[in-house]
Amino acid sequence: MIRFIQLLVALSILGGVGFFILQGAPDPHENEPKYQFLASKYRPESEEHRNLYLHHASLQDIPMPVGSWEAFAGPGRHFLLKVNEKGGFVMSINPNANDHSEGAITGILKITGQAFKAHHVVGSAKQVIPKSGHIIVKDYSDSEYQVIHPQTMEVLHFKPVSG
């Protein structure tokens, strides 16, 4: 029994000495920043999109597209946009035209010339709107809003949803 107690005392002394020896060892993470930032889910807008926004933001203000709008882009991509009178919006994005991969963006639209700036954007499909929130309207009428997709630069033709 005494040998067992001596073994425990010896192990605890070696453990204590080892702890203090390791305290003096250099930290391999010492040169890394204290805080690491996660990559944003937003994709940055291209230089071409930024220049287009600056041009369209200087044009005459467009009316807010109040109501429900729908657009199809490419093979199987479906967009639904619902906007209220104060600029609150919900944009539903279904990239594969099935119900399993649908995401939604909610926020507030502010008209800046012939473009929108989306504020307070939340939702799982944020990567469609660039971090700056710029949404360019190429052309508009009572029956159609043509919005330029920020990543692909293709024109999305939003038409009012009847019903």
Side-chain angles (χ1 to χ4, degrees):
M1 182 70 174
I2 293 178
R3 296 274 179 189
F4 181 70
I5 294 174
Q6 287 175 338
L7 177 66
L8 288 177
V9 170
L11 287 176
S12 63
I13 290 173
L14 286 175
V17 169
F19 174 77
F20 288 110
I21 289 173
L22 287 177
Q23 290 298 316
D27 186 13
H29 304 290
E30 191 173 312
N31 294 334
E32 292 181 12
K34 187 172 182 179
Y35 300 103
Q36 292 184 357
F37 296 98
L38 299 175
S40 175
K41 290 184 179 181
Y42 291 103
R43 287 191 250 166
E45 60 188 346
S46 66
E47 190 69 32
E48 182 181 7
H49 187 270
R50 191 174 6 263
N51 293 339
L52 271 174
Y53 174 76
L54 291 174
H55 168 70
H56 284 274
S58 65
L59 301 176
Q60 184 178 357
D61 283 352
I62 58 174
M64 184 66 72
V66 174
S68 296
W69 301 81
E70 172 178 54
F72 294 93
R77 287 191 299 153
H78 182 222
F79 297 86
L80 279 173
L81 175 66
K82 295 181 181 182
V83 183
N84 65 26
E85 295 82 15
K86 295 186 178 184
F89 77 96
V90 175
M91 185 159 78
S92 170
I93 301 161
N94 202 341
N96 300 315
N98 63 33
D99 292 334
H100 303 295
S101 61
E102 187 166 352
I105 300 169
T106 62
I108 299 170
L109 294 177
K110 177 183 172 192
I111 294 176
T112 57
Q114 195 168 331
F116 299 113
K117 188 161 186 183
H119 295 278
H120 309 298
V121 176
V122 294
S124 60
K126 289 187 251 187
Q127 62 266 22
V128 173
I129 296 178
K131 193 170 190 174
S132 62
H134 300 159
I135 303 170
I136 300 165
V137 178
K138 182 180 179 191
D139 197 12
Y140 65 94
S141 67
D142 290 340
S143 61
E144 182 177 72
Y145 262 77
Q146 296 179 6
V147 176
I148 297 176
H149 193 285
Q151 278 82 40
T152 63
M153 301 301 284
E154 77 179 300
V155 178
L156 303 176
H157 298 272
F158 279 93
K159 300 194 185 274
V161 175
S162 58

